[in-house]
Amino acid sequence: MSARTLPLLFLNLGGEMLYILDQRLRAQSIPGEKARKDEWTDVDRKRVMNDIITTMFNKKFMEELFKPQELYSKKALRTVYDRLAHASIMRLNQASMDKLYDLMTMAFKYQVLLCPRPKDILLVTFNHLDAIKDFIRDSPGILNQVDETFRQLIETYSCLSAGEFQLIRQTLLIFFQDMHIRVSIFLKDKVQNSNGRFVLPISGPVPWGTEVPGLIRVFNHNGDEVKRTEFTTDGNYVTPQREGSFDLYGDRVLKLGTNMYSVSRPVETHMSGSSKNLASHAKENIVPNPLAKEELNFLARLLGGLEVKKPGGSETGFRLNLFTTDEEEEHAALTRPEELSYKVINIEATQEPGRRAELSRILGEMEVAEPRPPSAGKGEDLLALMDGL
């Protein structure tokens, strides 16, 4: 497992979340002069996007995120996105939040699978950040926050070897290996089978720095080429014209990670049979996790700077539906397998007097298993940790 995977996972999933929310908000928005008080306008859409991006790229949050650490469980990360999605006036019910998370995870899983070489995961991340910057191009302050994260990515990952990127890719694939949600866009494009597994192409551009298959060269002990043998391949391979830019600005060349919702088309998610029977694959929902207490410590640090904005005064939160109709949303909530439902953990990491009681209550409700003997730097008591915030 790579200790440098978490920032890439968070930023790419966050980018996919913003793509989906932007598309749905645009689809449901009404011109300002015609909108009722409870209907979305383009001003509301921009406000939601700005609020979420501001929270997502919070300086303290990013500092914690970029510290070398192991990847935490799906539940722990899902909690972060629940909190992030509600960082503005927008409200999602459980079914819509489940669908949003399914779309996010399957899109990024597909991108990781298709990366020509492990290092290209960084280009996928840059594509997401480029698009996020376009969302907030009229807000210089937020733009500076995203640019600062860009610089952190370049500083952290530009010096890593090909082997370290391969370890990052393996860590991501392990995280996604039991997720087989069917998505209509992928099904229509025939890149996903009916069982939720992706179809990988056998043709196309080869990774940058490699040659098109079809030639075997034999060298002697002096390094001189002594024999060549050509062979035919089933795929149609091409050499890439140039390498994508790993700078703050530039042509990424690679299109993975760009906004696939820019062309309006419906996106549905369907549970495959293997995902409906997660009892045999996702036992973390049943068996107590020995690291649960450490994960709560991690979330307490990570979410300390994230405050969910509550509508002030007479303003009410706007509900966003990721389904075509309210009836579809209600049906999805009723038919969703119970083991796939997640509860939101609200961790109040503030200096208010009542925080100890609140955190104790959370620990009690979560039925946290006793952790294994802590390693150096881990295992701090949650309440003690919160004293330092």
Side-chain angles (χ1 to χ4, degrees), residues 161-200:
S161 66
E164 289 171 307
F165 275 110
Q166 174 64 5
L167 187 57
I168 288 173
R169 184 176 185 271
Q170 289 177 341
T171 304
L172 288 170
L173 291 176
I174 290 170
F175 179 83
F176 288 124
Q177 66 181 346
D178 292 324
M179 297 183 181
H180 306 296
I181 313 298
R182 292 181 295 147
V183 177
S184 63
I185 286 182
F186 297 139
L187 292 170
K188 289 174 183 176
D189 292 344
K190 301 187 184 303
V191 298
Q192 191 179 31
N193 291 325
S194 58
N195 61 3
R197 298 182 184 275
F198 288 109
V199 179
L200 301 183

Side-chain angles (χ1 to χ4, degrees), residues 359-368:
L359 292 169
S360 297
R361 181 186 65 77
I362 292 169
L363 286 171
E365 289 181 357
M366 287 297 294
E367 298 180 356
V368 178

